[in-house]
Amino acid sequence: MPKQSAFSQRSIWQHILPQNAAARIAIVVGCLYFVYWRLFVYTWVDPNYLNYSGSDGVAANKHVTVTDSLSAIKKVWETYGIEEPYYSVLTQDEYLMNNINEQSLKKFYASGSTEATRIKQLVAQTGVKLNTKGRALDFGCGVGRITVHLADLFDKVVGCDISTKHIALAENYVSHTPLSDRVSFVVSGASLAPLGEFDFVYTVIVLQHMIPPLQQDMIAQFCKILKPSGVAMFHIPTYHPEYQWREDVGITKSTMMKVMMTHATPKLTVERIVAENGCRVVSAIPENMVGDNWQSHIFVIQKS
């Protein structure tokens, strides 16, 4: 019987893998890490982060429509509303459902007063005049953390949010306060027109969760629902060195469902949309609310 060659007597893996045990372990660990990254991390990353779109980064996306985006956002926030309604607004451990108690809930709602202070500072800084006897809108109000403090500045306040779960909690909270006759909440959809007109619109750390076409649509709608001389103040990311929105890359709905990503609209694009919809930019104040190399601005705009 012919003698087997050294190659045939050893498994193919013995030929491929190095003989050193430490090197073998390193290769196996590397392979496992690659599989993990590809299955669980890469699918969470917006492919647009890695692509440059040219001009101003604005494009209709062939994969995700505005309707798709709203559906995805609603699904994510409805889940947050069930599982972690307060932590989804302020990501501090004391606001996890396992830690929420009367004291922490009181602290949670009290924290919204900082936004009322911010509004007063922006008014002083920009010189705009607010109709405090009018109606104010808290867009993306969540559980009403900021909404209740807008009532210190305006006679009537409406909080709107896409999540029915958050709105239910907001309504329940306000029902136990003296504000119930001046503060109301509504579940909002693609159009803000049914909410009526407002003297003031406010939103912070909300638009960043929307794809650029939806961000831009909402900014245009803010302008449309403002009464003459009405003022809007909104926060939006405007730049990240690795982010550009590109129509020929896009993201899938399944990716959107997995994580609430951050998106941006360039500052010049925001200014153009505001001007096209009968308003003017009074001021655009740089902010660092998002972190991680994201640049953002708080825009103060006024209706003609």
Side-chain angles (χ1 to χ4, degrees):
M1 187 174 181
K3 184 178 180 181
Q4 291 183 316
S5 67
F7 182 89
S8 64
Q9 292 176 349
R10 299 167 62 192
S11 73
I12 188 171
W13 292 109
Q14 288 176 308
H15 286 279
I16 294 174
L17 295 174
Q19 298 303 303
N20 182 278
R24 288 187 178 189
I25 292 174
I27 290 175
V28 171
V29 170
C31 290
L32 291 174
Y33 178 78
F34 172 79
V35 171
Y36 167 80
W37 187 87
R38 183 62 184 85
L39 290 179
F40 300 104
V41 179
Y42 177 79
T43 54
W44 283 20
V45 176
D46 182 350
N48 284 288
Y49 282 15
L50 308 177
N51 292 277
Y52 176 71
S53 66
S55 62
D56 62 2
V58 181
N61 188 270
K62 68 178 183 180
H63 295 291
V64 179
T65 65
V66 168
T67 302
D68 289 334
S69 178
L70 278 171
S71 297
I73 292 170
K74 184 174 181 63
K75 182 174 181 179
V76 170
W77 284 95
E78 291 286 10
T79 301
Y80 288 160
I82 295 171
E83 298 177 353
E84 292 294 347
Y86 303 104
Y87 184 80
S88 66
V89 176
L90 287 181
T91 52
Q92 300 172 21
D93 287 351
E94 63 185 310
Y95 302 130
L96 289 167
M97 288 304 291
N98 287 339
N99 300 330
I100 280 287
N101 53 43
E102 185 177 349
Q103 182 179 357
S104 60
L105 194 61
K106 184 177 180 180
K107 180 180 178 182
F108 173 87
Y109 276 98
S111 69
S113 65
T114 59
E115 297 305 321
T117 300
R118 187 200 301 274
I119 291 169
K120 293 176 183 177
Q121 291 172 341
L122 289 172
V123 167
Q125 184 177 341
T126 61
V128 295
K129 295 188 182 300
L130 303 181
N131 178 15
T132 58
K133 298 297 183 182
R135 296 178 78 219
L137 175 68
D138 180 10
F139 177 78
C141 67
V143 293
R145 183 181 70 97
I146 297 172
T147 320
V148 295
H149 294 282
L150 289 181
D152 294 334
L153 305 177
F154 299 91
D155 280 359
K156 295 288 185 180
V157 182
V158 177
C160 73
D161 199 278
I162 201 167
S163 167
T164 58
K165 306 301 182 182
H166 285 79
I167 288 295
L169 288 169
E171 290 177 329
N172 180 66
Y173 177 81
V174 168
S175 69
H176 294 90
T177 73
L179 300 174
S180 57
D181 61 332
R182 297 198 297 115
V183 176
S184 60
F185 296 93
V186 62
V187 177
S188 56
S191 175
L192 300 181
L195 304 182
E197 293 186 322
F198 293 89
D199 299 279
F200 183 73
V201 175
Y202 189 71
T203 186
V204 291
I205 321 182
V206 174
L207 294 176
Q208 67 190 47
H209 300 308
M210 303 176 181
I211 61 174
L214 183 54
Q215 290 178 337
Q216 295 154 31
D217 178 67
M218 286 302 166
I219 292 170
Q221 290 198 57
F222 293 163
C223 295
K224 292 174 182 176
I225 63 174
L226 280 176
K227 294 180 180 180
S229 300
V231 174
M233 298 179 180
F234 59 88
H235 162 266
I236 187 171
T238 50
Y239 175 76
H240 187 285
E242 296 179 357
Y243 177 89
Q244 289 288 341
W245 182 254
R246 183 173 157 176
E247 66 175 326
D248 60 328
V249 177
I251 56 178
T252 63
K253 283 199 292 183
S254 61
T255 300
M256 289 190 70
M257 296 294 187
K258 291 183 179 180
V259 67
M260 189 56 67
M261 296 176 293
T262 301
H263 298 281
T265 288
K267 180 173 178 285
L268 289 176
T269 303
V270 174
E271 293 172 343
R272 172 177 58 77
I273 293 169
V274 169
E276 289 175 350
N277 287 276
C279 293
R280 66 184 180 92
V281 174
V282 178
S283 185
I285 300 99
E287 285 285 349
N288 187 32
M289 292 184 180
V290 185
D292 294 331
N293 294 320
W294 285 95
Q295 295 179 15
S296 60
H297 288 78
I298 288 184
F299 286 84
V300 179
I301 68 173
Q302 188 165 31
K303 189 89 170 255
S304 301

